């Protein structure tokens, strides 16, 4: 599995500033939720007081005739209020998380899309998708739980301690001291939790990537009888995930145990104090004693919520690092005007001493490559596989920038073009066209969504898609599976040709367009391509002898690449 | 619901852990209730003299038991979930020997990750507190009943409502929404994967905005579904809260005549209701889990295509392959691919099968590997109908290099070892040599340990094809079906490979599927496919 090598643009501790900024935003948004939470606490105080009054009646210090009606009614009314407040605050919390997720997911996917296909060289698509789907999803807890809980964990105990202090200052002091110990315990137990959370996500992402990759190649695994091996390695990955997850939640359990100690200790202490007062008949005010006792769980509840959301915070730290490390959104420049206006008369394409290195260890894929293609001309690029032919096309498509030299279209450097402007100029038929699950028609229309049905039909006819679609039950509306399931390699290629036709761009880039075709279909497709190349600047990468002959027929030139260098530059034969 | 029970039954393997967790949870619940009862009992000092002592002992016990319970139950749960994922993979593999077909990889991933994860609610949030509730109900009935039968009745009815009725209602209500929720989550995953997998196409066709919008639309659906699910969960929680409050009030009002003892009861009731307070919410979550379980089972319980017979015949020693008057069509409403196809590939023979694309060359491979069964006629291996052989045996004997052969995101070595895990280094390099790719691999800084990238992305199309070729040559299969082995190779490499192919095959048979011949192949027979039959062609 390739490691993610997306560089981080920031300085300092990665993700920290990002998360701090998000937290500021999130806290501002959580104001209403905190207000409602405090209102709920006030209701709980009222309820505790009613309950204490009712209980005091039972002890009988005030006589059995004490009225119970109004405390009982108030208790019931406050219960209903608390229920409504509970539902409201949960829905508010959801909205906080949802708003943040929506914003962050759009940002993350937008940045991936802007960075483009070069990303796939260093990361598996499942890893990238996990950032957009799972990383962002894991941030929900940060906004909907952790931020409000961290504010309420401070405000609510202070509010309650103030009430308690009115009746029993010693109890209030005791509660505040034990509450102050909670964050200390959490910090102690939380040492190393950040790294544990990060490892947990890595384990999860690895499990996903492995599974997705294995699913795409499931036929290969079954055919080689390797299902059991793969099941075992999936079990190993799942076991690793379990161990990592346990390490993360243990922190949450330990800090929650620390609160249990504080809560149970306080409760036991207060109850025993009441017991001793009762034993020597010195219990002056049973209502206030009971009231204080009943508020103890309420006092610790926000701290519990705080500790339960503790792991959300670790996950958020980790997610922040990943999201901040995504390639930044490029600044959108003005579309290059000269290119646009000249496009009508055709485009001159020039490679000027171009070099490209994907991976320093593997050496350059292209070195000192120079050539030019005039408007309407077709250039064949030949050479053994791995010579760098496809890399040349990828530069023209803007998937990657040359590491040396420059490529110009009508004199303008393509590095200065925004991706959308460059993509308007080029149509491309690749070696491995990605087809999406959906109908043939939808797959062709992908090239130009606003195309009419008639235009799609034309493109399909032109690329000989109709020839095989006719035998399918629903013709062009037949659904195909992900990755072109249901189509042969040659058929998939013809869909890609139809896309290029529909797109109708001034530069045509053909990367082995006839590799999977039989000779009859190949000559038909070459026929179609000949019409497509008319008036367009075309680069054709091919091994096919037929294509070479075809190009000579139309007077095209040919260059030969070997190990990334130009070894021949012949004119028309 | 049936699916849910089916998945629960799979927990058997971890029954020890799961029961241990259950016991710990029960102990922890009882300690919590006793602690609260004891706290209340201090007010009834005259009745329960032991209360202060109990308090001192129960306080620490509660903390320890709660921590232990959580560790044990989570451990048990994650073990069960890991098993479930592996089970899911095995079942999928048995059903998708021919590839994913119309299934989406992202959707399968969503089932493996999210839908399996949703099952945690069943054990953690439903089963554990439910057992606690079953233990608490008689305790409440006896303790309260001793004092006042009406009080006991009122509280027990409220308890039953809170612990059993509300969760059940919440579960039913959540079933339909659960399906929507699971589908919505899968939708986000699929849309995102489409955008990321297709980054090249997306850039080339300037589809960034469209892909982003598609994901955003799926996300909106997800957020709506989540918000509806949450609303159900919070109202169920509110109902549980209100019934607990009603029980407390009832205890206070009906227990008035019993003086201070009633205080202990109030604390007991509070703790008992707290133990089941999350059950109605859990009911709603269990509804979601049940819907997710349906999605898991839907993939794993579909019939296995071309399953093995109950007692498969042993693999014959001979590997002569005969196709006898086979008729096959993919679907009723589609024209037949084969109509009386007969082919004879004797042991060790090298045969070529020619024809234009779409004539059924790949279909023939699928039939020989029993990914599909012919509707008419039969195929025999060593004289035995392949329908009576075990599919695993058959596929051990026949190797297939398809056009869609997948290169895994792993090292070259790992990719090769899939064909033969026990292969030595010398054998790996030998296979690479024969596929004409050894020199290129040797030139890499990491050599055979180089990562291929997703789908072999870090290598050119022709190089990837040759690596796949090396893999199939390494496999121990006696019959190799090579579907366009040279697609994407330059003419020189193609010629070199085909010239040496026969020597490298040894005593194996080969079926070369191609559009045309390069002219250097050494073949025993050449067939041309046409109109659903094979016609012998001149070499």
């Amino acid at each position: 599995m390739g490691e993610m090598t997306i560089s981080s643009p920031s300085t300092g501790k990665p993700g920290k500033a990002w998360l701090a900024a998000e937290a500021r935003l999130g806290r501002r948004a959580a104001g209403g939720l905190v207000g409602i939470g405090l209102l709920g606490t006030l209701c709980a105080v009222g309820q505790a007081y009613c309950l204490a009054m009712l209980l005091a009646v039972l002890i009988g210090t005030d006589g059995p005739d004490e009225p119970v009606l109004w405390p009982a009614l108030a208790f019931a009314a406050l219960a209903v209020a608390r229920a409504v407040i509970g539902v409201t605050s949960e829905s508010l919390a959801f909205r906080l998380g949802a708003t943040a997720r929506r914003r962050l997911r759009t940002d993350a996917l937008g940045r991936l899309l802007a960075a483009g296909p070069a990303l796939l060289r260093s990361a598996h698509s499942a890893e990238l998708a996990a950032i957009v789907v799972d990383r962002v999803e894991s941030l929900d807890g940060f906004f909907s739980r952790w931020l409000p809980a961290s504010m309420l964990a401070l405000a609510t105990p202070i509010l309650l301690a103030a009430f308690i202090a009115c009746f029993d200052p010693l109890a209030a002091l005791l509660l505040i001291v034990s509450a102050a110990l909670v964050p200390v315990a959490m910090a102690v137990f939380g040492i190393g939790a950040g790294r544990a959370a990060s490892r947990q996500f890595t384990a999860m992402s690895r499990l996903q990537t492995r599974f997705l990759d294995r699913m795409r190649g499931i036929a290969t695994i079954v055919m080689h009888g390797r299902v059991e091996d793969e099941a075992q390695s999936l079990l190993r990955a799942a076991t690793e995930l379990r161990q990592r997850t346990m390490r993360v939640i243990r922190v949450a359990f330990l800090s929650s145990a620390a609160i249990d100690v504080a809560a149970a200790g306080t409760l036991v202490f207060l109850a025993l104090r009441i017991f001793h007062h009762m034993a020597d008949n010195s219990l002056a005010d049973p209502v206030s004693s009971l009231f204080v006792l009943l508020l103890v769980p309420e006092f610790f509840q926000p701290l519990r919520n705080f500790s339960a959301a503790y792991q959300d915070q670790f996950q958020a730290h980790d997610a922040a690092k990943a999201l901040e490390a995504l390639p930044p959104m490029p600044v959108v420049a003005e579309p290059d005007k000269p290119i646009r206006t000249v496009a009508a008369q055709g485009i001159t394409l020039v490679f000027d001493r171009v070099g490209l290195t994907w991976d320093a260890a593997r050496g350059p894929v292209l070195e000192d490559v120079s050539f030019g293609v005039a408007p309407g001309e077709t250039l064949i690029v030949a050479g053994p596989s791995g010579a760098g032919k496809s890399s040349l096309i990828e530069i023209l498509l803007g998937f990657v920038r040359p590491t040396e030299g420059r490529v110009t279209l009508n004199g303008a450097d393509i590095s200065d073009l925004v991706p959308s402007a460059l993509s308007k100029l080029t149509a491309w038929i690749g070696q491995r066209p990605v087809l999406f699950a959906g109908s043939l028609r939808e797959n062709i229309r992908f090239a130009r969504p606003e195309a009419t049905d008639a235009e799609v039909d034309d493109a399909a006819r032109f690329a000989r898609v109709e020839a095989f679609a006719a035998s399918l039950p629903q013709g062009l509306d037949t659904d195909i599976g992900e990755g072109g399931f249901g189509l042969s390699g040659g058929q998939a290629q013809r869909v890609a040709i139809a896309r290029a036709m529909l797109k109708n761009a001034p530069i045509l880039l053909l990367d082995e367009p006839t590799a999977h075709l039989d000779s009859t279909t190949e000559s038909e497709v070459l026929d179609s391509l000949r019409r497509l190349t008319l008036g367009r600047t075309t680069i054709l990468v091919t091994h096919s002898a037929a294509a070479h002959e075809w190009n000579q027929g139309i007077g095209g030139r040919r260059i030969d690449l070997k190990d990334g260098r130009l070894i021949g530059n012949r004119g028309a034969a | 619901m049936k699916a849910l029970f089916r998945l629960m039954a799979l927990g058997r393997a971890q029954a020890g852990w799961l029961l241990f967790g259950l016991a710990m949870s029960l102990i922890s619940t009882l300690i919590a209730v006793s602690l609260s009862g004891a706290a209340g009992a201090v007010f009834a000092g005259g009745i329960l003299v032991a209360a202060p002592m109990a308090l001192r002992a129960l306080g620490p016990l509660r903390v320890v038991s709660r921590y232990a319970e959580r560790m044990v139950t989570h451990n048990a749960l994650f073990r069960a979930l890991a098993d479930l994922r592996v089970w899911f993979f095995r079942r999928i593999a048995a059903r998708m020997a021919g590839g994913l077909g119309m299934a989406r990889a992202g959707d399968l991933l969503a089932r493996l990750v999210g839908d399996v994860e949703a099952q945690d609610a069943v054990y953690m949030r439903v089963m554990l507190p439910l057992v606690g509730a079953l233990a608490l109900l008689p305790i409440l009935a006896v303790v309260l009943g001793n004092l006042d039968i009406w009080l006991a009745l009122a509280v027990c009815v409220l308890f039953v409502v809170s612990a059993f009725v509300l969760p059940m209602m919440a579960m039913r209500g959540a079933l339909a929404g659960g399906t929507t929720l699971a589908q919505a989550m899968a939708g986000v995953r699929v849309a995102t994967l489409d955008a990321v997998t297709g980054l090249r196409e997306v850039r080339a066709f300037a589809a960034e905005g469209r892909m982003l919008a598609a994901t955003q639309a799926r996300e909106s659906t997800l957020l709506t579904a989540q918000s509806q699910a949450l609303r159900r969960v919070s109202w169920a929680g509110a109902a549980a809260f209100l019934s607990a409050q009603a029980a407390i009030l009832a205890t206070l009002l009906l227990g008035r005549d019993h003086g201070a003892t009633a205080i202990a009861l109030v604390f007991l009731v509070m703790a008992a209701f707290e133990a089941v307070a999350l059950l109605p919410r859990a009911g709603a979550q269990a509804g979601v889990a049940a819907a997710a379980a349906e999605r898991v089972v839907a993939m794993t319980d579909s019939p296995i295509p071309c399953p093995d017979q109950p007692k498969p015949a042993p693999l014959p020693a001979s590997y002569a392959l005969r196709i006898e008057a086979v008729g096959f069509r993919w679907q009723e409403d589609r024209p037949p691919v084969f109509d009386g196809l007969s082919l004879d590939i004797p042991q060790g023979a090298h045969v070529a099968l020619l024809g234009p694309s779409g004539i059924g060359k790949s279909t023939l491979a699928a039939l020989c590997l029993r990914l599909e069964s012919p509707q008419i006629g039969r195929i025999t291996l060593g004289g035995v109908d392949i329908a009576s052989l075990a599919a695993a045996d058959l596929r051990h004997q026949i190797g297939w290099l398809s056009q869609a052969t997948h290169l895994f995101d792993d090292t070259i070595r790992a990719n090769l070892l899939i064909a033969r895990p026990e292969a030595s280094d010398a054998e790996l390099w030998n296979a690479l040599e024969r596929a004409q790719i050894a020199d290129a691999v040797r030139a890499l800084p990491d050599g055979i340990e180089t990562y291929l990238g997703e789908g072999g992305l870090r290598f050119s199309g022709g190089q990837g094809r040759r690596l796949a070729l090396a893999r199939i040559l390494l496999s121990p299969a006696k019959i190799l079906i090579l579907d366009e082995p040279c697609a994407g190779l330059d003419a020189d490499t193609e010629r070199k490979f085909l010239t040496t192919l026969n020597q490298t095959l040894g005593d194996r048979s080969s079926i070369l599927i191609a559009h045309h011949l390069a002219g250097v192949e050494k073949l025993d027979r050449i067939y041309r496919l046409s109109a659903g039959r094979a016609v012998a062609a001149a070499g």
Side-chain angles (χ1 to χ4, degrees):
Chain A
M1 231 147 293
E3 289 296 311
M4 288 274 291
T5 49
I6 297 167
S7 64
S8 165
S10 74
T11 50
K13 217 169 176 188
K16 208 158 185 188
W18 185 93
L19 198 63
E22 286 295 330
R24 267 195 300 281
L25 263 173
R27 278 203 200 92
R28 212 171 302 145
L33 181 58
V34 170
I36 284 203
L38 289 175
L39 191 63
T41 303
L42 288 178
C43 291
V45 170
Q47 261 204 314
Y49 197 78
C50 295
L51 194 55
M53 286 176 72
L54 291 165
L55 287 170
V57 171
L58 294 178
I59 297 178
T61 45
D62 295 335
D65 296 329
E66 183 76 10
V68 295
L69 188 62
W70 79 259
L73 281 178
F75 179 86
L78 287 169
V80 173
R82 278 181 79 187
V84 173
I85 285 173
V87 170
T88 313
S89 64
E90 276 181 44
S91 125
L92 276 180
F94 174 81
R95 225 172 293 164
L96 289 181
T99 313
R101 275 185 285 154
R102 201 193 300 264
R103 177 169 55 80
L104 293 173
R105 188 164 282 138
T106 296
D107 178 60
L109 185 56
R111 281 158 74 176
L112 288 182
L113 288 168
L119 280 179
L120 290 175
R121 292 221 157 225
S122 54
H124 194 279
S125 57
E127 286 175 83
L128 299 175
I131 295 177
V132 176
V133 179
D134 302 283
R135 281 285 191 202
V136 171
E137 209 61 15
S138 80
L139 274 165
D140 182 63
F142 182 75
F143 294 96
S144 67
R145 285 189 297 267
W146 168 257
L147 289 179
S150 63
M151 291 158 85
L152 283 170
L154 195 64
T156 314
I158 290 175
L159 182 69
L160 283 172
F163 275 106
I164 293 171
C166 301
F167 297 89
D168 188 346
L170 179 65
L173 189 66
L174 184 69
L175 281 169
I176 284 178
V177 170
S178 53
L181 288 175
V182 169
V184 177
M186 278 168 68
V188 170
F189 295 134
I191 291 171
R195 204 179 311 145
S198 157
R199 286 194 184 135
Q200 184 210 7
F201 193 89
T202 310
M204 203 269 288
S205 168
R206 198 173 294 154
L207 176 83
Q208 289 197 9
T209 307
R210 189 171 181 94
F211 180 78
L212 194 80
D213 194 40
R214 266 46 184 179
M215 273 296 130
R216 285 182 181 155
I218 190 72
T220 304
I221 287 169
V222 177
M223 286 305 141
H224 287 294
R226 290 281 94 78
V227 172
E228 214 24 59
D229 293 353
E230 284 304 325
Q232 287 310 319
S233 64
L234 184 66
L235 181 62
R236 277 194 296 280
T239 304
E240 193 197 340
L241 178 62
R242 167 173 67 84
Q243 288 161 345
R244 302 268 179 235
T245 310
M246 283 306 287
R247 246 162 251 171
V248 174
I249 57 182
R250 197 172 54 197
V251 175
F253 294 166
L254 276 172
S255 53
S256 143
I259 297 175
D260 282 347
V261 170
T266 320
L267 198 69
V268 169
F269 175 81
L270 291 177
L272 288 179
R273 201 166 59 131
I274 295 174
F275 178 76
H276 291 305
H277 284 310
M278 283 177 71
D280 53 20
N281 275 326
S282 63
L283 189 61
D285 181 4
V287 174
S288 62
S289 298
L290 281 163
F291 173 65
V292 170
L293 199 62
L294 287 169
L295 280 183
V296 171
E298 291 299 333
F299 182 87
F300 283 102
Q301 193 53 50
L303 294 170
R304 276 187 209 288
N305 297 344
F306 179 61
S307 130
Y310 199 30
Q311 50 178 328
D312 292 328
Q313 188 246 156
F314 289 122
Q315 281 174 351
H317 268 295
D318 205 37
K321 265 185 259 170
L323 288 175
E324 199 190 32
L326 290 180
M329 211 58 180
V331 186
V332 179
E334 282 287 299
D336 219 290
K337 281 175 191 134
I339 290 284
R340 275 212 164 156
T341 47
V342 186
Q345 288 107 49
I347 286 182
T348 305
L349 181 162
V350 175
F351 267 60
D352 184 12
R353 313 201 61 140
V354 169
L356 174 69
T357 309
W358 283 111
D359 173 359
R362 279 173 68 174
V365 247
L366 290 176
E367 227 181 329
D368 199 20
V369 172
S370 301
F371 62 84
V373 194
E377 189 190 6
T378 297
L379 177 78
I380 284 208
V381 180
S385 68
K389 306 188 296 293
S390 299
S391 300
L392 200 140
I393 299 273
E394 293 192 342
I395 289 177
L396 283 169
L397 286 165
F399 293 179
V400 61
R401 286 186 177 190
T403 31
E404 273 162 60
R406 54 187 224 132
V407 178
T408 57
L409 304 178
N410 286 353
D413 194 325
I414 61 166
S415 300
D416 299 336
L417 287 177
V418 293
S420 61
L422 183 58
S423 130
K424 277 204 187 81
L425 298 174
T426 52
W428 168 56
I429 302 169
Q431 276 184 38
R432 288 177 272 202
V434 170
L435 301 188
F436 301 100
S439 70
L440 283 172
R441 186 182 297 281
E442 285 163 3
N443 266 290
I444 295 172
R445 200 192 293 272
F446 180 79
R448 189 152 59 88
E450 69 279 8
T452 64
D453 271 1
E455 285 172 312
V456 174
D457 286 344
D458 277 349
R461 201 170 308 123
F462 182 85
R464 303 286 185 272
V465 172
E466 266 203 351
F468 69 84
S471 70
L472 298 174
Q474 276 114 38
L476 277 186
D477 293 310
T478 308
D479 276 336
I480 56 170
E482 201 167 86
F485 178 85
L487 298 186
S488 74
Q491 290 168 337
Q493 201 76 350
R494 282 185 265 173
V495 174
I497 293 171
R499 278 180 179 168
M501 166 65 195
L502 189 62
K503 184 155 177 207
N504 189 19
I507 301 176
L508 193 55
L509 304 170
L510 311 170
D511 192 356
E512 303 268 10
T514 56
H516 298 284
L517 303 182
D518 59 88
S519 47
T520 321
T521 318
E522 179 178 22
S523 64
E524 281 177 9
V525 167
L526 286 175
D527 245 14
S528 307
L529 286 177
R530 179 175 303 144
R531 278 190 281 150
L532 194 56
T533 56
L534 283 180
R536 295 191 167 89
T537 309
T538 308
I539 292 187
L540 169 63
V541 168
T542 186
H543 299 305
S544 158
H548 285 277
E549 284 163 20
W550 165 77
N551 196 38
Q552 286 171 356
I554 60 170
R557 280 188 308 132
R558 162 178 164 178
I559 57 171
D560 279 273
L561 272 179
K562 189 165 191 293
D563 298 331
R565 286 174 161 276
L566 231 48
I567 55 167
N569 194 344
R570 303 172 218 172
Chain B
M1 283 305 284
K2 246 165 103 182
L4 194 63
F5 290 126
R6 182 158 158 59
L7 293 191
M8 277 161 68
L10 289 172
R12 277 192 310 264
Q14 300 294 347
W17 273 102
L18 292 168
L19 287 175
F20 183 30
L22 204 65
M24 289 303 295
S25 156
L26 192 59
I27 291 171
S28 167
T29 305
L30 291 178
I31 289 178
V33 173
S34 314
L35 178 67
S36 180
V42 298
F43 292 94
I47 298 161
L48 284 167
V49 188
M53 259 166 67
L55 264 185
R56 284 193 193 97
L58 286 170
L61 256 181
R62 162 146 175 72
V63 175
V64 173
S65 70
R66 211 168 126 102
Y67 178 72
E69 175 220 342
R70 289 173 140 191
M71 288 303 281
V72 173
T73 52
H74 278 83
N75 200 353
L77 173 75
F78 292 143
R79 276 170 196 275
L81 291 187
D83 283 357
L84 190 54
R85 294 199 163 115
V86 174
W87 172 85
F88 181 70
F89 175 77
R90 284 206 184 96
R91 306 277 295 194
I92 294 278
R95 279 156 184 78
M96 295 194 161
L100 294 184
M102 292 306 202
R104 315 289 306 266
D107 181 63
L108 286 173
L109 182 65
R111 290 172 209 249
L112 177 92
V113 177
D115 295 340
V116 168
E117 198 124 293
Q119 306 307 316
D120 70 353
V122 179
Y123 175 70
M124 248 11 207
R125 296 175 200 158
V126 178
M127 277 166 68
L128 297 181
L130 214 51
V131 169
L134 285 173
L136 285 173
L137 184 59
I139 294 177
L140 277 181
V142 170
V143 173
L144 297 176
N146 268 337
L147 221 61
D148 185 328
I149 190 74
W150 291 111
L151 172 61
L153 200 64
V155 170
C156 285
V157 165
L158 282 167
F159 190 79
V160 167
V161 166
S162 188
F164 306 112
V165 178
L166 282 174
M168 202 62 204
M169 283 167 59
M171 180 162 180
R172 296 219 166 157
L175 266 175
T179 311
T180 320
L181 184 63
Q183 281 168 353
M185 191 68 220
V188 173
R189 232 175 247 289
V190 167
T192 309
L193 265 172
D194 262 356
V196 180
T197 313
L199 273 177
R200 298 160 162 271
E201 267 68 12
V202 169
R203 170 61 58 86
F205 292 107
E208 284 90 351
R210 283 182 271 153
M211 293 316 245
L212 187 61
T215 303
Q216 284 170 332
R218 304 291 188 93
E219 189 192 36
S220 288
T221 315
L222 174 69
L223 292 177
T224 311
Q226 281 178 336
S227 146
Q228 279 161 357
L230 176 94
R231 200 168 310 142
R232 276 190 297 271
V233 168
S234 10
W235 279 114
F241 173 76
L242 286 176
S243 53
Q245 301 292 304
I248 292 168
L249 206 55
T251 313
L252 280 167
L253 299 178
L254 292 172
R256 268 172 85 191
D257 302 336
H258 303 285
T261 314
I263 298 181
L265 296 185
V266 169
F267 278 76
L268 178 73
V269 167
M270 276 173 147
F273 274 82
E274 199 192 309
V276 299
L278 295 178
L279 260 173
R281 285 170 177 274
Q285 285 155 341
V288 172
E294 297 283 357
R295 278 170 49 83
V296 172
V297 169
M299 296 310 289
T300 58
D301 284 10
S302 61
I304 296 181
C306 316
D308 285 347
Q309 287 175 2
K311 271 194 188 154
L315 196 63
S318 155
Y319 48 92
L321 190 68
R322 279 180 70 90
I323 294 161
E324 300 172 7
V326 159
F328 177 78
R329 58 177 82 207
W330 283 99
Q331 275 159 31
E332 284 290 320
D333 58 347
R334 289 175 66 173
V337 184
F338 299 126
D339 188 9
L341 172 78
S342 291
L343 269 179
D344 190 11
I345 298 126
Q347 187 164 327
H350 303 300
V351 171
L353 213 54
L354 307 178
S357 64
I359 197 75
K361 301 186 299 274
S362 305
T363 309
L364 185 64
L367 288 173
C368 290
L369 287 154
R370 226 178 75 202
L371 294 170
E372 295 292 336
S373 300
Q375 282 104 12
I376 309 168
R378 61 173 203 155
I379 300 175
T380 63
L381 180 70
V384 182
D385 190 337
I386 60 167
S388 63
L389 294 172
D393 285 347
L394 176 69
R395 287 163 196 168
H396 185 75
Q397 202 73 331
I398 304 180
W400 179 25
L401 176 72
S402 74
Q403 288 188 26
T405 296
H406 185 80
L407 291 174
F408 294 95
D409 183 18
D410 214 324
T411 60
I412 294 177
R413 178 192 294 280
N415 266 285
L416 293 179
L417 287 181
I418 285 172
R420 187 136 62 97
E422 71 284 0
S424 68
D425 260 26
E427 288 169 317
L428 296 183
W429 281 106
N430 186 260
L432 291 170
E433 292 287 356
R434 285 185 280 159
Q436 310 291 328
I437 185 82
D439 288 340
V441 173
R442 224 171 268 126
L444 296 169
D446 294 327
I448 201 165
E449 307 297 343
T450 307
Y451 274 86
L452 289 181
E454 183 172 358
L457 185 83
R458 283 177 225 176
F459 286 79
S460 81
Q463 288 170 331
R465 191 69 189 154
R466 280 181 280 166
L467 288 173
L469 205 52
R471 180 164 68 193
I472 199 72
L473 291 175
L474 191 65
S475 96
K478 285 296 183 187
I479 302 173
L480 295 187
I481 302 177
L482 305 173
D483 191 353
E484 294 284 350
C486 298
L489 299 194
D490 56 274
D492 265 3
T493 314
E494 179 178 4
R495 200 162 296 127
K496 269 189 216 150
F497 169 73
L498 292 171
T499 314
T500 55
L501 180 64
N502 278 13
Q503 307 153 17
T504 63
L505 285 176
D507 59 351
R508 299 197 259 186
S509 312
S510 69
I511 304 170
L512 189 65
I513 296 179
H515 296 131
H516 61 274
L517 290 176
V520 295
E521 301 88 346
K522 297 180 182 66
L523 296 160
D524 299 320
R525 289 174 206 197
I526 299 168
Y527 293 102
R528 195 170 290 281
L529 280 179
S530 150
R533 288 165 188 254
V535 188

